[in-house]
Amino acid sequence: MKFTAFLKTRGATAAIFMGIFYAVAMLGIFLPGYTAIPGNVDKLPIAIINDDAGKNGAMIAENLQENLPFKEIETDITNNQALKDLEHNDLALVVHIPKTFSENIQKGEASSSIDFTINEAGATVVSSTMNSVVTEINNQLSTQFSQQTAQGVLVNFNVPEKQAAELAEKIEKSYVGNVVTINEIPDGMNHNMLPMFLTMAGYVGAMIGAMQLVGAFRASRGKASKTRLFTYVQMAALLIAVVSSIIAVGVAYLIDKPSGDLFFGIVGQQILNYMVCFNFTAILIFLFGEGGMILNLPILLMQTIANGATISRDMMHAPYEWMSHISPMYYSVQAYFANLFGSISPSPYIWSMAAVGAVAMLINMAIVAFLHNPMPVQVSETEVEKKAAEITA
């Protein structure tokens, strides 16, 4: 057999196709998706709340609105409401100028600070970007107010050494930026990426499981009704979901050591995640057989950006943002962030993920009912002999 003839075999041609297809799909999806960083940072919504009774707060709030690179800046909102929106990741940053800010600045008190609040339980790019922005703001404000204080207190250069030291300290501490981080995530990228990795472990396993179980469904046609076989497929998927989820969460606990109180909640979500992803990916396999697996790959790649672990929905380009609304991965990742690190209930995301799974299962039921032709159920020799024995008896 010549090499050229070998290359024409089904396995070789399939390998060549997949090598090219996967390279094009991965680069064609990932590279455009990540152009949103930092290009779409300006789409992140923030809030600036000025409660200062003096003129300094108004001046700072106005300057921040003019100079910060964000298109959506909320100002007509209370600090309490803004912090609630931040917990739900509806805002990326909350800047609060307190009521006594101008008064403290004039006195040169160290308590003259502005609160910058960031939520870490969300997309990693958002929290890191906001930290960089806050650092830059604080550096500029510290320089500005130190100069103003210096002009106000160092009018006379002939001051005693002790007094000069006190004045220098007063200048240095005339402004102190107060960075508040809510829902802190432990140090280590493994903690930041745990919601995404748990989700992807379930998704990829479910996608491969869908290919195998739907294949078993097709191979078993004629041995039982298609309704019964479809039920068997779902029961087998549920069994795999339970076993694989317990093992997956166990591995996560060995490495990341989340709170023990969360164990059963995480296992429950992982089981749901598997079943939803199973039915979501099984749609194309029920429709196109093994060819559906090829179509599932770019959908998986697209969801690795659209799941919100790295970039928020506000930053995504339109196709990825659209995908996030129907993606089981997006709702799973957000639910894990809320459950593992957040201070809000994961229930809205859990219910959204369950809704995606329910719709996917209904679609699969319709495909099996209307597109898969019924086949006569074959009776095995064992069953024939059993029935014959019953008649004889």
Side-chain angles (χ1 to χ4, degrees):
M1 185 181 192
K2 295 183 179 180
F3 180 63
T4 53
F6 177 79
L7 288 178
K8 294 178 182 179
T9 61
R10 182 178 179 181
T13 54
I16 294 170
F17 171 79
M18 287 304 297
I20 296 171
F21 175 80
Y22 193 76
V24 172
M26 186 169 186
L27 295 175
I29 291 172
F30 277 10
L31 294 182
Y34 282 113
T35 59
I37 308 169
N40 288 353
V41 167
D42 60 345
K43 293 184 178 180
L44 292 173
I46 71 168
I48 300 175
I49 301 98
N50 176 31
D51 290 332
D52 183 24
K55 63 179 182 179
N56 284 311
M59 177 188 68
I60 292 174
E62 184 178 351
N63 287 338
L64 289 176
Q65 290 181 61
E66 292 176 355
N67 298 319
L68 285 178
F70 302 109
K71 295 179 180 178
E72 187 178 342
I73 300 178
E74 292 191 41
T75 56
D76 189 18
I77 187 174
T78 65
N79 189 47
N80 288 336
Q81 183 59 50
L83 292 176
K84 289 180 181 178
D85 291 345
L86 181 68
E87 287 183 347
H88 288 82
N89 286 314
D90 294 329
L91 291 172
L93 172 68
V94 174
V95 182
H96 178 230
I97 306 172
K99 184 176 182 179
T100 59
F101 179 75
S102 291
E103 180 182 348
N104 293 336
I105 281 291
Q106 292 172 359
K107 295 178 181 179
E109 294 182 0
S111 58
S112 55
S113 62
I114 296 175
D115 295 330
F116 299 89
T117 309
I118 302 167
N119 184 8
E120 282 196 355
T124 54
V125 168
V126 174
S127 58
S128 61
T129 299
M130 291 303 109
N131 272 304
S132 299
V133 169
V134 169
T135 299
E136 182 61 27
I137 293 173
N138 277 328
N139 288 338
Q140 293 181 7
L141 290 176
S142 181
T143 301
Q144 176 183 346
F145 284 107
S146 293
Q147 290 174 349
Q148 289 182 4
T149 305
Q151 293 173 0
V153 298
L154 295 182
V155 177
N156 185 0
F157 291 97
N158 298 318
V159 293
E161 183 177 348
K162 182 178 180 181
Q163 188 176 354
E166 292 175 353
L167 291 176
E169 184 178 359
K170 187 177 182 181
I171 293 170
E172 184 180 352
K173 295 183 178 179
S174 60
Y175 169 79
V176 179
N178 183 30
V179 181
V180 181
T181 302
I182 63 172
N183 303 326
E184 290 190 40
I185 297 177
D187 293 335
M189 199 66 179
N190 55 308
H191 296 290
N192 290 80
M193 301 308 292
L194 180 58
M196 179 176 174
F197 288 159
L198 275 172
T199 298
M200 287 197 68
Y203 191 101
V204 174
M207 183 173 67
I208 297 173
M211 181 181 69
Q212 300 295 336
L213 290 177
V214 174
F217 170 89
R218 292 175 178 274
S220 301
R221 293 293 303 278
K223 298 179 181 179
S225 67
K226 60 183 181 180
T227 301
R228 175 173 290 188
L229 288 175
F230 183 82
T231 304
Y232 288 167
V233 166
Q234 296 296 327
M235 290 173 61
L238 180 59
L239 176 63
I240 297 168
V242 172
V243 175
S244 64
S245 296
I246 293 173
I247 294 174
V249 175
V251 172
Y253 266 79
L254 285 174
I255 299 172
D256 278 27
K257 300 177 177 62
S259 171
D261 297 339
L262 301 175
F263 181 81
F264 292 106
I266 297 173
V267 169
Q269 181 183 329
Q270 190 70 1
I271 293 171
L272 176 63
N273 175 44
Y274 186 98
M275 291 303 298
V276 171
C277 295
F278 175 84
N279 281 283
F280 185 82
T281 56
I283 293 173
L284 293 174
I285 301 175
F286 271 120
L287 281 173
F288 305 112
E290 292 183 0
M293 194 67 174
I294 299 175
L295 298 175
N296 270 325
L297 284 174
I299 295 175
L300 166 64
L301 296 175
M302 197 167 185
Q303 287 183 85
T304 58
I305 295 176
N307 63 35
T310 306
I311 60 177
S312 69
R313 187 180 272 172
D314 300 296
M315 295 178 64
M316 296 175 191
H317 295 306
Y320 304 89
E321 191 270 339
W322 177 82
M323 173 61 76
S324 72
H325 290 282
I326 63 169
S327 163
M329 284 184 68
Y330 176 84
Y331 297 114
S332 178
V333 167
Q334 302 310 310
Y336 274 132
F337 269 125
N339 201 7
L340 288 166
F341 310 116
S343 53
I344 60 173
S345 171
S347 296
Y349 303 113
I350 295 291
W351 284 110
S352 296
M353 181 166 57
V356 172
V359 171
M361 181 179 283
L362 289 173
I363 293 173
N364 286 326
M365 292 171 64
I367 293 171
V368 170
F370 299 110
L371 299 184
H372 286 243
N373 295 325
M375 293 179 64
V377 178
Q378 301 174 0
V379 181
S380 66
E381 294 182 4
T382 303
E383 291 176 338
V384 171
E385 293 174 356
K386 185 177 179 181
K387 288 182 179 180
E390 291 175 353
I391 293 173
T392 304

